[in-house]
Amino acid sequence: MQNVNLFEHQESRVRSYCRTFPVVFSKSKDSQLFDENDKSYIDFLSGAGALNYGHNNDVIKNAVIEYLESDGILMSLDLHTKAKRDFLHVFQNNILDPRDLHYKIQFTSPTGTSVIESAVKLARKFTKRENIICFTNAFHGMTGVSLSLTGSNHHRQNHAYSQVSRFPFEGYLGNETDSIAYYRKLLTDPSSGIDLPAAVIVETIQAEGGLNVASVKWLQELRRMTEELGILLIIDDIQAGCGRSGAFFSFERASIKPDLVCLSKSIGGIGMPFAILLIDDKLDIWSPAEDNGTFRGNNLAFVAATSMIKHYWGDTKFEVRLKEFSEYITQRLDNIVHKYPLLLVQRKGIGFMQGIQFREPAVAEYVVNQCFAAGLVIERCGPIDEVLKLMPALTISKELLDRGIDIVESTLKKLVIQTPSQIEIADC
């Protein structure tokens, strides 16, 4: 075990990931991390979704280095800069126009929770209504309003910071329940106790909530209902966006057009802090400086994002690769679930955010620890951390992808001792 005493002595107890992966990392490249002893680890965490294009991606890194060496503007508040203009041009031409999306772009403070706060603030200003509809098992961030929208009471600590109403996500009450009809009843009945909201906010794939995937039908009906009732639809694409779902936006598969879209994490290209709010033209009613932040002008992030979009989203080749690899991940995980039915419930998720649900969270925890010992960084998610969550870089090689999944499967194989009459789980 490496010496981590300094971190334990000087850092707050609030630290989390480092408790699961207690080594000192010193280098990273593509889909691998290296500790101080030069041991390599395959990375299926990817900065919690902030490193969709891998560690130190050469294409993006070289663009950033070139910009730094040219003495380009680094910090600019919201002043006009060449780096920002280049990003706006490339994002419009390569992302918005091909999808027939018409949005203004707001640069918010560079975190996911910041862009959520801005989206909700604007929805309330535009509609002059206070209530926000959110969903069970949602995760939207760690600041006031964002925490109110988040399901986990471990994060919320039972505090309410904002007026919200929480509805059951698709399938939460069972597959036989018509959840849209239930929402509509509550929102149209003046005695339901649910105030007509300013907006509905939803993750189309609940990443932290357990890789729960909203169906195309449900998303389309939700969009139809919000339009009919004059409610804005906010899509939180902070973790599921920028290619993670298999398309640039996670809502593309449903052919819907949200009113507001929140992006952060991998929009920064190479791990640069960056967040943007996409705003339907008619909603852009901000007064100057009414919503701002000191670090909304992260020019290194503009450069990294521009390079990422030009290289990977200039044509359809990358998206075709994502589809092929996504299908392969699905196939591998389905096979694993089929092999170990007494340990596993089901495969969950889509695209490059898939996982396997364990019957016992303690077993999932044991598997994470054993995978790390074998050289794989992978985390859990879900209400009780019962889902092993695969989040490899979108650029990962087939060889490393296979090696990572092989480690998971090998760990399960070692864990289970089969006899003709039973399966005994090794002491964990």
Side-chain angles (χ1 to χ4, degrees), residues 120 124 130-132 144-146 148-149 159-165:
V120 170
R124 286 172 167 163
E130 180 70 16
N131 195 27
I132 303 292
V145 172
S146 302
S148 295
L149 303 170
H159 294 306
Y161 301 90
S162 179
Q163 184 181 338
V164 305
S165 297

Side-chain angles (χ1 to χ4, degrees), residues 22-60:
V23 299
V24 180
F25 294 105
S26 60
K27 295 185 299 182
S28 61
K29 187 63 182 174
D30 298 328
S31 290
Q32 289 183 287
L33 292 157
F34 301 86
D35 68 20
E36 284 188 316
N37 296 328
D38 212 31
K39 178 178 177 179
S40 65
Y41 301 82
I42 299 169
D43 186 4
F44 275 14
L45 175 60
S46 297
L51 292 167
N52 282 3
Y53 304 91
H55 296 271
N56 287 301
N57 181 299
D58 283 334
V59 171
I60 305 171

Side-chain angles (χ1 to χ4, degrees), residues 128-177:
K128 298 180 172 57
R129 298 194 293 265
E130 180 70 16
N131 195 27
I132 303 292
I133 300 298
C134 53
F135 292 95
T136 51
N137 292 323
F139 183 88
H140 294 292
M142 296 296 291
T143 52
V145 172
S146 302
L147 272 179
S148 295
L149 303 170
T150 292
S152 165
N153 78 9
H154 168 72
H155 291 110
R156 285 186 294 106
Q157 302 170 44
N158 295 317
H159 294 306
Y161 301 90
S162 179
Q163 184 181 338
V164 305
S165 297
R166 198 174 310 282
F167 283 3
F169 192 74
E170 184 184 18
Y172 186 82
L173 298 176
N175 294 329
E176 302 305 313
T177 301

